[in-house]
């Protein structure tokens, strides 16, 4: 009998790449958990036509559906990517964020303990859990001082995972993933907002129209960006280690938002100039303002200081894992811009 792998969040970025990775690298049955939406959102998985991949009903806000999926399929792996994944929205929906990102993880653990105790569970953790940055770069021992409801929910899930692993000997882990991007990144995230805006600017120039500027928040934040495709490969390797172990995963470098903006514009042949400071800073090209700043897009927890520097210390992961990141920041930005241009062209 082939093993069953339940992957949640398959309509999103990481889940859809994980399904592709598992189909290419295993002979397991992949059960993709989806919740009911009035208008289904399958654009990231509609190209996958493999009879080993099947969609199942699995809404993390419904304990019965978690129970049904686990008791029916008795998975050998449960890879939980589903989440309210947008930090900004966690301020608008703090309770829903906690229910889906933390309480649901408790239900998954309880259900696995009772009905599939040999299952290996991966839950998606985040560098957001570190919150107040104490030192740069951040390793697995960095303290957790969450600064937003999203981060609190991920820290809580981590504690549940830890006590179930220690008390019931479950193979249950949660790594700290730093920001990872791809052409499938949700449109509200800053990288995708930039590449989508750059694609629109490209088409405006092509059609001899005035381009709309992209409006952003704090440009000083520093993030460690990797390619989501590299991350899912590492997660699968970690899930298959001899014993459970948790890792900080990122590129090991930190970049400013400008470091992502510059190659995005270069991809469409634009090399503009930065002028002004703070909220008056803007990116200008041949007299057109292509980027402007609005405090409306500053997160309530944004820290305007050197301390908002997120960089992964990947020493432990490099030592234990087959570590070769295939994509750098420039290739990543270019792949996202090119994808956004073709998506917009197909809309016309
Ligand atoms: P994403 O693209 O936003 O995908 C989130 C997925 O969760 C979607 O498939 C969504 O389904 C699903 N979902 C939300 N609520 C659900 C519910 N109640 N029941 C079932 N499914 C539900 O996120 P991602 O970027 O792939 O991230 C994957 C995971 O890694 C998340 O847990 C995220 O918090 C974590 N993470 C991501 C990053 C990053 O940089 N990408 C960094 C650190 C941690 P719908 O299509 O139905 O909305």
């Amino acid at each position: 009998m082939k093993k069953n792998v339940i992957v949640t969040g398959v309509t999103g970025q990481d889940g859809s790449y994980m399904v592709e990775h598992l189909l290419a690298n295993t002979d397991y049955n992949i059960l993709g958990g989806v919740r009911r939406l009035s208008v289904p959102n399958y654009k990231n998985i509609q190209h996958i036509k493999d009879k080993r991949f099947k969609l199942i009903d699995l809404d993390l806000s419904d304990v019965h559906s978690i129970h049904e999926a686990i008791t029916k399929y008795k998975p050998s792996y449960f890879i939980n990517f589903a989440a309210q994944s947008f930090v900004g929205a966690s301020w608008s929906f703090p309770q829903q964020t906690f229910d889906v990102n933390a309480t649901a993880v408790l239900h998954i653990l309880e259900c696995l303990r009772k009905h599939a105790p040999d299952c290996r569970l991966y839950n998606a953790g985040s560098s957001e859990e570190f919150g107040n940055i104490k030192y740069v770069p951040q390793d697995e021992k960095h303290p957790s001082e969450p600064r937003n409801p999203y981060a609190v929910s991920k820290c809580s899930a981590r504690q549940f995972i830890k006590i179930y692993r220690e008390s019931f000997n479950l193979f249950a882990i949660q790594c700290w993933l730093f920001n990872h991007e791809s052409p499938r990144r949700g449109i509200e995230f800053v990288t995708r907002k930039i590449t989508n805006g750059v694609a629109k600017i490209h088409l405006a120039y092509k059609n001899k129209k005035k381009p709309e500027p992209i409006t952003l928040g704090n440009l000083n934040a520093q993030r460690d960006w990797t390619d989501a495709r590299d991350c899912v490969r590492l997660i699968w390797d970690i899930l298959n280690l001899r014993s459970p172990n948790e890792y900080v995963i990122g590129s090991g470098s930190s970049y400013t938002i400008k470091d992502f903006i510059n190659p995005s514009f270069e991809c469409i042949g634009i090399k503009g100039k930065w002028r002004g400071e703070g909220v008056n800073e803007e990116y200008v090209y041949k007299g057109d303002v292509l980027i402007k700043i609005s405090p409306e897009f500053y997160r309530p927890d944004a820290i305007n200081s050197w301390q908002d520097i997120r960089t992964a210390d990947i020493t432990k992961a490099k030592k234990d894992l087959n570590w070769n990141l295939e994509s750098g920041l420039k290739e990543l930005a270019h792949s996202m811009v090119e994808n956004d241009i073709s998506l917009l062209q197909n809309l016309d």
Side-chain angles (χ1 to χ4, degrees):
M1 274 248 298
K2 280 191 179 141
K3 289 183 177 178
N4 287 336
V5 184
I6 294 181
V7 184
T8 67
V10 291
T11 53
Q13 173 183 262
D14 294 5
S16 59
Y17 284 124
M18 182 58 89
V19 170
E20 289 172 5
H21 184 73
L22 295 178
L23 288 173
N25 293 285
T26 73
D27 66 350
Y28 303 159
N29 294 318
I30 323 297
L31 304 150
V34 286
R35 60 175 163 169
R36 186 195 169 272
L37 294 176
S38 302
V39 181
N41 157 33
Y42 295 160
K43 64 184 186 317
N44 288 335
I45 45 172
Q46 64 198 8
H47 61 286
I48 304 175
K49 313 268 182 236
D50 190 309
K51 58 181 190 319
R52 285 191 290 128
F53 176 53
K54 184 176 143 188
L55 294 181
I56 60 169
D57 289 329
L58 212 179
D59 188 326
L60 288 195
S61 58
D62 185 294
V63 65
H64 304 288
S65 94
I66 295 172
H67 184 267
E68 172 74 10
I70 290 175
T71 51
K72 184 166 177 190
Y73 296 104
K74 296 270 181 341
S76 297
Y77 299 87
F78 193 115
I79 305 177
N80 186 34
F81 285 130
Q84 193 302 92
S85 63
F86 189 46
V87 173
S90 77
W91 289 106
S92 309
F93 309 106
Q95 186 210 318
Q96 191 249 10
T97 302
F98 195 84
D99 288 348
V100 174
N101 297 7
T103 311
V105 176
L106 171 61
H107 292 317
I108 293 169
L109 285 161
E110 260 302 297
C111 211
L112 289 178
R113 170 172 91 82
K114 290 179 184 147
H115 304 287
D118 294 329
C119 177
R120 293 184 169 214
L121 170 67
Y122 177 81
N123 189 56
S126 167
S127 60
E128 282 289 332
E129 292 174 55
F130 297 139
N132 271 328
I133 296 304
K134 304 288 186 208
Y135 52 84
V136 181
Q138 295 87 45
D139 59 11
E140 291 78 6
K141 296 195 170 64
H142 190 284
S144 294
E145 288 187 18
R147 293 180 61 89
N148 53 64
Y150 170 86
V152 169
S153 71
K154 293 288 185 182
C155 285
S156 305
R158 176 174 302 284
Q159 296 307 322
F160 282 134
I161 297 248
K162 181 171 182 288
I163 58 167
Y164 273 71
R165 184 175 62 236
E166 291 172 354
S167 308
F168 301 114
N169 210 19
L170 287 187
F171 192 115
I173 52 169
Q174 173 166 321
C175 293
W176 296 263
L177 271 278
F178 282 61
N179 294 55
H180 45 280
E181 319 295 312
S182 76
R184 295 185 195 163
R185 188 61 147 147
I187 199 81
E188 68 272 57
F189 291 89
V190 67
T191 50
R192 185 75 196 287
K193 187 173 173 185
I194 292 165
T195 61
N196 180 259
V198 169
K200 285 182 179 158
I201 289 167
H202 172 70
L203 295 177
Y205 280 131
K206 203 171 147 200
N207 297 321
K208 310 224 173 322
K209 292 189 178 147
K210 191 160 178 62
E212 281 286 325
I214 307 166
T215 309
L216 299 175
N218 178 15
L219 291 182
N220 297 321
Q222 292 192 32
R223 294 288 176 267
D224 180 333
W225 281 302
T226 42
D227 191 310
R229 291 156 280 199
D230 283 325
C231 292
V232 299
R233 186 172 49 75
L234 289 168
I235 289 169
W236 182 243
D237 291 349
I238 293 167
L239 254 184
N240 285 289
L241 290 174
R242 191 181 293 267
S243 48
N245 215 332
E246 296 178 317
Y247 296 88
V248 156
I249 302 289
S251 72
S253 305
S254 84
Y255 305 97
T256 64
I257 309 286
K258 285 184 192 170
D259 291 331
F260 190 84
I261 291 171
N262 291 329
S264 299
F265 276 112
E266 276 160 29
C267 179
I268 59 164
I270 285 182
K271 210 167 170 138
K273 284 203 163 60
W274 291 98
R275 69 180 184 201
E277 273 180 30
V279 287
N280 297 317
E281 193 163 14
E282 46 190 26
Y283 183 83
V284 187
Y285 176 70
K286 292 189 176 170
D288 292 328
V289 174
L290 301 186
I291 303 258
K292 62 180 188 175
I293 308 300
S294 168
E296 182 200 337
F297 293 104
Y298 280 56
R299 270 172 29 192
D301 58 312
I303 319 160
N304 286 316
S305 77
W306 68 271
Q307 287 178 313
D308 193 17
I309 301 176
R310 301 262 170 77
T311 316
D313 181 339
I314 51 179
T315 312
K316 180 179 167 192
K318 268 184 142 172
K319 184 167 151 278
D320 292 2
L321 305 169
N322 181 15
W323 190 274
N324 59 327
L325 299 182
E326 284 170 11
S327 176
L329 193 66
K330 182 175 158 192
E331 293 77 33
L332 179 60
H334 283 210
S335 75
M336 292 174 69
V337 171
E338 282 158 9
N339 178 67
D340 276 319
I341 291 173
S342 84
L343 286 177
L344 290 170
Q345 278 171 333
N346 287 339
L347 281 182
D348 285 348

